[in-house]
């Protein structure tokens, strides 16, 4: 007796169904991906020398202050003579010369008068010389004489003023003294602008000082 055979896929004419991938089952963890076999990156190490900090920002200027301009001054212990004290010294000198001229001129006039009365040419000539000395020589020689002698007229001596060479502070020469007197006339010829220049010049020099190369100083 033959045993019945089970039908196969070939006999039935249909192919066997492909196995399906099972989906995720509830309560079953999902499969993890395989770990990468690439080597890990090298560790980052801190630099041996710390970076320099950035420079601090410049602070804003506190004010628009400017340092005063340097002006070369006289020797230590001295200062430039100011306009006011120089004017007072000049007035004192004018008073002194005025008194001297007046006294000497009176004497010369008396001598000239005596010569005229006595008809003496000698007395008349002597009186004329005295008048010339009083009216011409004293005004022209007073200032240069004292400036060249020790740099001080009687009026300047009272105020502690001295006129010296501007270049090195030494005593002035007779030629500089004469130039300074000529500078007096030049300073007063143009509306006294040469005297006013003392206020403008940093070394307190008038035109007469600039002409003669001199400067007036005093004890500080």
């Amino acid at each position: 007796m033959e045993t019945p055979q089970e039908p196969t896929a070939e006999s039935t004419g249909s192919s066997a169904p492909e196995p399906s991938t099972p989906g995720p089952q509830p309560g079953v963890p999902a499969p993890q991906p395989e770990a990468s076999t690439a080597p890990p990156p090298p560790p980052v190490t801190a630099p041996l020398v710390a970076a320099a900090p950035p420079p601090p920002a410049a602070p804003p200027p506190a004010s628009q202050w400017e340092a005063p301009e340097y002006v070369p001054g006289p020797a230590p212990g001295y200062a430039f003579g100011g306009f006011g004290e120089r004017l007072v010294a000049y007035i004192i000198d004018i008073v002194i010369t005025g008194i001297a001229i007046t006294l000497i001129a009176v004497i010369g006039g008396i001598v000239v008068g005596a010569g005229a009365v006595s008809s003496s040419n000698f007395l008349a000539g002597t009186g004329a010389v005295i008048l010339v000395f009083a009216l011409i020589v004293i005004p022209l020689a007073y200032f240069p004489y004292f400036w060249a002698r020790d740099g001080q007229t009687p009026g300047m001596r009272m105020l502690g003023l001295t006129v010296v060479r501007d270049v090195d502070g030494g005593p002035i020469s007779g030629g500089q003294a004469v130039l300074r007197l000529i500078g007096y006339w030049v300073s007063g010829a143009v509306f006294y602008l040469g005297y006013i220049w003392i206020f403008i010049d940093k070394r307190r020099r008038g035109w007469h000082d600039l002409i003669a190369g001199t400067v007036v100083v005093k004890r500080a």
Side-chain angles (χ1 to χ4, degrees):
M1 181 174 181
E2 294 182 0
T3 305
Q5 296 182 353
E6 294 180 358
T8 62
E10 295 179 358
S11 60
T12 56
S14 61
S15 61
E18 295 181 359
S20 60
T21 303
Q25 301 296 326
V28 178
Q32 299 295 328
E34 295 183 359
S36 174
T37 59
V44 179
T45 58
L48 299 179
V49 180
S63 61
Q64 299 298 326
W65 173 263
E66 293 183 1
E69 182 181 356
Y70 172 72
V71 178
Y78 286 87
F80 295 121
F83 179 84
E85 49 202 354
R86 292 171 65 173
L87 176 60
V88 173
Y90 179 76
I91 293 174
I92 293 174
D93 289 325
I94 291 299
V95 171
I96 293 174
T97 55
I99 293 174
I101 290 171
T102 301
L103 291 177
I104 297 174
V106 168
I107 294 173
I110 292 174
V111 174
V112 169
V117 171
S118 62
S119 299
S120 172
N121 293 331
F122 175 76
L123 289 177
T126 302
V129 171
I130 294 175
L131 287 175
V132 170
F133 179 81
L135 300 177
I136 298 177
V137 175
I138 291 180
L140 292 179
Y142 176 85
F143 288 100
Y145 168 75
F146 286 108
W147 289 338
R149 190 184 71 169
D150 56 6
Q152 292 180 313
T153 62
M156 295 175 70
R157 188 182 303 276
M158 294 181 185
L159 275 296
L161 301 172
T162 305
V163 57
V164 297
R165 287 198 302 263
D166 190 19
V167 64
D168 58 4
I172 69 174
S173 63
Q176 285 179 301
V178 173
L179 283 176
R180 198 166 193 270
L181 179 64
I182 296 174
Y184 265 20
W185 301 333
V186 174
S187 296
V190 187
F191 305 104
Y192 297 95
L193 184 59
Y195 296 109
I196 300 174
W197 200 260
I198 296 174
F199 292 103
I200 302 173
D201 189 79
K202 296 178 180 180
R203 297 174 67 85
R204 300 293 182 264
R205 296 170 299 183
W207 286 2
H208 44 283
D209 291 310
L210 297 174
I211 291 173
T214 59
V215 66
V216 178
V217 296
K218 65 176 181 178
R219 289 280 184 181

